[in-house]
Amino acid sequence: MNGMIVALVGALLCFYGVRSVHLGILAIGFGLGWLIADLCNASFWWLLLIALIGAVSTWVVTSLIFRFAAYFIGGLTGAMIGTKLATVLQPGDKNWALSMIVAAAVCVAGAFLADKFRARALLWLTSIGGASMILSGLGRMGDLEFLRDPEPGWQQMAATLSWVALSVLGWLTQRHLFAERLGIEPDADEPPSRNVGGKWPSR
């Protein structure tokens, strides 16, 4: 049950993340809180509490500084991706210092890309971040533990490939469903969308 919750939130972000800014922010904050707590092997209730705190805090802060929402959301999603990346790259016991360095580096990169490329960058970031949450959730179910915390070798390879495949699937799905809304592929007979050059949806 605990894995199902985070997998469903991850699916929302991965396949629907750019449709609604509010849902996207809540999902990103939830996922970031969950993945950071998961590095400490926290119990389910602690994971859920920290994830909910992350969701609410992220939504409140982003609402207060909405002018910089793309930059902020990109940074948070980058931090979530970096946290998952640190888990995949460090099978077994985790080095906290290295994990924080990786998370911080991807956080800064995500913020920069989101600020510069807006919709296109956020499309990738929500897909990759959502995919990381889905795998973390599935990794708490039965024999799929390796998706959350892989051992060196085939488990690490399988977890990485699964993450890449889910990310691409999420990107393709969102691009197909919300292309017109994001102004990514305007019709030839129609004027370009006002979102071209990239604003995230306002609701």
Side-chain angles (χ1 to χ4, degrees):
M1 179 62 183
N2 54 357
M4 183 63 70
I5 293 174
V6 74
L8 288 174
V9 175
L12 173 68
L13 184 61
C14 185
F15 299 106
Y16 201 77
V18 297
R19 175 59 179 82
S20 168
V21 65
H22 297 293
L23 286 177
I25 290 168
L26 289 169
I28 290 165
F30 185 96
L32 180 59
W34 181 286
L35 290 173
I36 290 176
D38 199 34
L39 281 174
C40 306
N41 294 315
S43 67
F44 167 69
W45 291 111
W46 275 109
L47 285 168
L48 186 59
L49 177 62
I50 295 173
L52 290 174
I53 290 173
V56 174
S57 300
T58 301
W59 185 83
V60 170
V61 172
T62 306
S63 297
L64 292 175
I65 57 171
F66 196 82
R67 181 180 177 185
F68 305 100
Y71 188 87
F72 189 67
I73 293 166
L76 285 175
T77 313
M80 181 169 59
I81 294 169
T83 303
K84 179 63 177 179
L85 187 62
T87 301
V88 173
L89 295 177
Q90 298 180 89
D93 294 335
K94 307 294 183 291
N95 182 317
W96 259 93
L98 179 59
S99 297
M100 292 303 100
I101 290 172
V102 172
V106 183
C107 171
V108 172
F112 171 78
L113 290 172
D115 186 56
K116 185 172 179 61
F117 299 106
R118 301 294 172 128
R120 289 169 178 78
L122 289 169
L123 187 60
W124 272 111
L125 290 169
T126 54
S127 299
I128 298 171
S132 70
M133 290 175 63
I134 293 173
L135 294 181
S136 293
L138 292 177
R140 290 183 165 269
M141 302 178 191
D143 299 327
L144 299 175
E145 171 69 22
F146 71 92
L147 292 175
R148 182 173 71 93
D149 190 12
E151 295 294 330
W154 74 267
Q155 290 189 357
Q156 192 174 22
M157 179 67 70
T160 302
L161 292 176
S162 299
W163 190 13
V164 171
L166 262 179
S167 299
V168 172
L169 181 60
W171 182 85
L172 290 172
T173 301
Q174 292 196 77
R175 184 179 175 85
H176 175 71
L177 292 177
F178 311 125
E180 183 178 353
R181 182 178 179 83
L182 293 172
I184 294 174
E185 293 179 341
D187 293 332
D189 299 330
E190 303 251 344
S193 166
R194 59 196 175 104
N195 283 332
V196 173
K199 294 181 180 179
W200 216 24
S202 59
R203 62 184 184 276

